[in-house]
Structures are given as C-alpha cells and as structure tokens.
Amino acid sequence: MSFDPTDPLGLDDLLEPEDLAVRDTVRSWAADRVLPNVAEWYETGELPGIRELARELGAIGALGMSLSGYGCAGAGAVQYGLACLELEAADSGIRSLVSVQGSLAMYAIHRFGSEAQKQEWLPRMAAGEVIGCFGLTEPDHGSDPASMRTYAERDGGDWVLNGRKMWITNGSVAGVAVVWARTDDGIRGFVVPTDSPGFAAPEIKHKWSLRASVTSELVMDDVRLPADAVLPEVTGLKGPLSCLSHARYGIVWGSMGAARTCFETAVEYARTREQFGRPIGGFQLTQAKLADMAVELHKGILLAHHLGRRMDAGRLRPEQISFGKLNNVREAIEICRTARTILGANGISLEYPVMRHATNLESVLTYEGTVEMHQLVLGKALTGLDAFR
C-alpha cells in the first residue's frame, strides 16, 4: 500500500460511503460557488448574493443538517463536521453562515422551541428561504453572558424587548433572530422576526477578518412581541450555552479545513518555487515545517472525528468540545502562519488563500469562547476548582 501525502494517517478509512458522499457534495459546491469569487469578496468586504447562497446550501442539505424533521437532513455528527471542514476550507465566513443558521438559530428553536415555532421557522430555514441569527454577545459583555443587559419585560399579554447585541453573524440579512434577554424569571430566549417595529440590524464595517461574511449589531428599542415568542423549554444560561457547544463542535472541524487549505498551498508552492537552483521543498528547513504542519493538521482531524463519534453516541461532554476547539483553532492558526513563511512575500497576497485564512482564524479563535475561556473550562474540569471568578 502506497503512502498518500494527502491522507498520511489513512483517516478516510474511518469514513462510511455516506460520509464521503456528504464530504464530496459540499466540497464540489464550495469549489463551484465560493472559491472562484471569495478573494474578491474578501477584498471588497462584501458577501453578495448571500440569500442565493443560503438557498443553494439548503438545497444540498447543509442548513441544520444534524437536526431531524422539519425539512432538516438528520445527518450524523461526523457528516456535519465534514461539511464544516469543507466549507471552511473555502472560507471561514461561509462556514460561519452555516454554523449560525444551523447550530445556533435553528438548533435553539429545534431544541427549546414550541411546536408552533418549529413549524413556522425550521422548514424555511432548512431550505435557506429564511436566514437566522443568534443574539447573545453584547457590546460590554462577551465572555460573561450572565451579565447581559438586554431585558424583556411583560406588558399585559406581550413581551417588550430592549437592548443591544454585537458581532452578530447574518444579522443584517436575517429574517428571524433568536435573542437572549434577562427577564424577571431569568434568562430567556425569544424568537424575533426582524421586521418587528423597533428592531434594527446595522452591518458592522471596517473588519479585517471574516470580510466575506455579514456581521452586524442588533438594536432592540421597545420591540413588542407576543407571549408565544419566548422559547418555552428553557430558562437560564444552559439554553444559549448548549447552542454554543453545538456551534463549537462545528468549529473543531471547520478550523481544520482552513488549515488544510493553507497546508496544501504550502506543499504545492514548495514543490514549484525555486531558490538557489532547486525547489524550496528540497531544503531541510522547509521539509521540517511541512512535516510539523502535517502532524498537527491530521492530529486535529483525528480529534474532530473522535469527538464526532462521541456526539453520535450521545457521549460528548462540553469539556471535550472545549478541548477540541482550543486545540484545533490554535493549531490551525499556527499552520496558516507557517504556510505564510513558506510562501514568503507571496503569502500576504490574495492570489493565495493563506493570509485570508490566517486573518479569518483570528476571529474564529475568539468567537464561541476565547482561548482563555476554554483553558479555564478544562482547568476546572481537571482540578475541580473554579477559576472564572
């Protein structure tokens, strides 16, 4: 059996034919619809045609794909992970679109919503006809959601919602927002149609990361909602945090997609770029870099696969997701940075994907829990001592 430099550990042997079919479908879609355009989108800081892209993603079953019923694909965790890897191999912004739609907004409604809420929103969201967003992070409260200021109070049979959320993916193009707010009964989630009076979602400009992605602020000024807008099946932070765990799982896979693209770019460049009369891939220092990148890349994919099998078996713990998110995003950034050194000055050019992925991963490192927060989650799990406060 010959050595496959694209799969040095033989990880494809762990995948079933159905897994490979999902991977190939998403990879083909990304190659056709994202890769030819993403450098221009990134340079201009726009994601034109996002609604059309959402409908196409719905058509291939990528939206809410790990959920069952209501038009969702009901795919396994590993299949969802493979989809995230292939999407982020194209661009983190595209994977974020899918993650926020499926793992945050749709997941919250699917797990905590009423039957009426599920019937109203999930089929259209699964088809990409309605884009969703997830409002948790606030301008002054990122890693400490328990201190959120957004508040919902009862007024007769209605709720009145006031507050602001920040760094919200999909916000300006969303048709529905899942917004978390303080109430007299504790933190609750609300399903908010974005055409509600008093709701606004101005887009955040001047980003140097995730530029091929829509990022917004949510502003709620006396947004009046009916009594049945609240998610009935959860009270407290366990609601939004369980959604974040699902999204973090996708990042464990997705970050390895960005790393894979940068690694493959570096390998190809090292084979063809000549210095001192021969390809730079023939020099020991370059080979050492490539070997280290390959080791961390495929260890990360193996870790993601292991976590996926645990999720499919119903045995995946939040601490294990923190383990994967901490390791894989951190190693993905290092792989991208190392790839940049192999490409030299060309590494900063948008003719190559390396710097785009590296800057995107700076955001991925921060959202859904910073490095420090995941270190503390693991520290608490290892010692039994809470160092958060």
Side-chain angles (χ1 to χ4, degrees):
M1 182 179 298
S2 61
F3 180 80
D4 182 357
T6 67
D7 185 18
L9 293 180
L11 297 184
D12 277 4
D13 293 346
L14 301 175
L15 301 176
E16 301 295 334
E18 294 82 3
D19 303 331
L20 294 170
V22 168
R23 184 184 71 180
D24 292 346
T25 297
V26 178
R27 182 181 295 182
S28 177
W29 178 86
D32 290 341
R33 294 293 285 119
V34 179
L35 292 182
N37 306 300
V38 69
E40 179 181 353
W41 296 341
Y42 188 90
E43 188 165 25
T44 60
E46 298 176 343
L47 184 57
I50 183 173
R51 290 181 173 85
E52 181 181 354
L53 292 174
R55 288 191 291 270
E56 292 176 10
L57 286 161
I60 64 172
L63 301 179
M65 67 181 298
S66 62
L67 306 177
S68 297
Y70 308 98
C72 301
V78 170
Q79 292 174 359
Y80 173 58
L82 290 166
C84 288
L85 188 151
E86 295 301 329
L87 291 168
E88 195 146 357
D91 191 79
S92 299
I94 303 301
R95 198 268 309 144
S96 293
L97 163 64
V98 170
S99 289
V100 170
Q101 178 85 345
S103 290
L104 293 178
M106 292 178 67
Y107 182 85
I109 296 171
H110 190 275
R111 181 167 179 182
F112 302 120
S114 66
E115 184 61 28
Q117 289 168 338
K118 296 174 186 179
Q119 293 286 354
E120 179 178 2
W121 294 108
L122 291 180
R124 290 186 289 157
M125 295 175 78
E129 296 171 1
V130 174
I131 295 175
C133 66
F134 186 86
L136 178 63
T137 301
E138 296 190 353
D140 298 320
H141 302 285
S143 296
D144 183 18
S147 298
M148 71 174 66
R149 295 176 181 171
T150 298
Y151 192 81
E153 61 182 347
R154 296 181 185 274
D155 183 18
D158 295 340
W159 291 93
V160 178
L161 182 63
N162 283 281
R164 295 170 62 201
K165 301 294 183 178
M166 197 68 172
W167 303 113
I168 307 303
T169 297
N170 300 345
S172 303
V173 295
V176 62
V178 175
V179 177
W180 300 91
R182 303 184 69 85
T183 73
D184 289 344
D185 302 321
I187 292 173
R188 304 297 302 271
F190 294 85
V191 181
V192 184
T194 60
D195 60 359
S196 301
F199 183 96
E203 187 171 355
I204 297 172
K205 299 292 188 178
H206 310 298
K207 300 180 298 178
W208 286 113
S209 178
L210 292 180
R211 289 174 58 79
S213 177
V214 174
T215 310
S216 313
E217 179 184 11
L218 303 185
V219 180
M220 291 145 290
D221 184 8
D222 288 335
V223 175
R224 183 170 291 274
L225 301 168
D228 60 3
V230 70
L231 295 173
E233 298 300 325
V234 70
T235 300
L237 276 178
K238 65 181 180 181
L241 292 183
S242 66
C243 300
L244 290 178
S245 288
H246 201 263
R248 288 164 180 161
Y249 166 77
I251 291 172
V252 175
W253 284 91
S255 57
M256 291 294 98
R260 187 190 71 191
T261 294
C262 291
F263 170 69
E264 291 175 348
T265 301
V267 170
E268 181 60 27
Y269 191 87
R271 287 172 175 157
T272 58
R273 173 68 168 176
E274 291 191 1
Q275 293 287 283
F276 305 103
R278 59 192 174 110
I280 62 173
F283 290 93
Q284 291 182 0
L285 290 177
T286 302
Q287 290 194 0
K289 291 179 180 180
L290 293 173
D292 287 345
M293 294 162 71
V295 167
E296 295 306 324
L297 170 62
H298 293 281
K299 281 164 55 180
I301 295 173
L302 184 59
L303 171 58
H305 186 101
H306 172 67
L307 296 182
R309 292 304 184 206
R310 291 190 65 83
M311 178 176 279
D312 277 332
R315 299 178 60 197
L316 183 61
R317 291 191 52 83
E319 298 90 343
Q320 294 166 340
I321 299 175
S322 287
F323 194 117
K325 206 269 187 179
L326 173 63
N327 179 81
N328 282 16
V329 181
R330 190 163 58 183
E331 295 305 324
I333 286 182
E334 188 58 33
I335 288 169
C336 292
R337 291 170 178 165
T338 304
R340 209 288 306 159
T341 70
I342 292 175
L343 270 68
N346 282 327
I348 70 168
S349 171
L350 275 178
E351 293 183 11
Y352 297 90
V354 173
M355 185 58 75
R356 173 169 55 84
H357 280 296
T359 55
N360 281 341
L361 284 172
E362 293 292 345
S363 292
V364 180
L365 188 73
T366 295
Y367 67 35
E368 318 294 5
T370 64
V371 166
E372 294 80 5
M373 296 304 290
H374 289 297
Q375 287 174 323
L376 294 181
V377 167
L378 290 175
K380 180 179 179 181
L382 294 169
T383 66
L385 303 173
D386 188 347
F388 282 95
R389 299 181 184 276

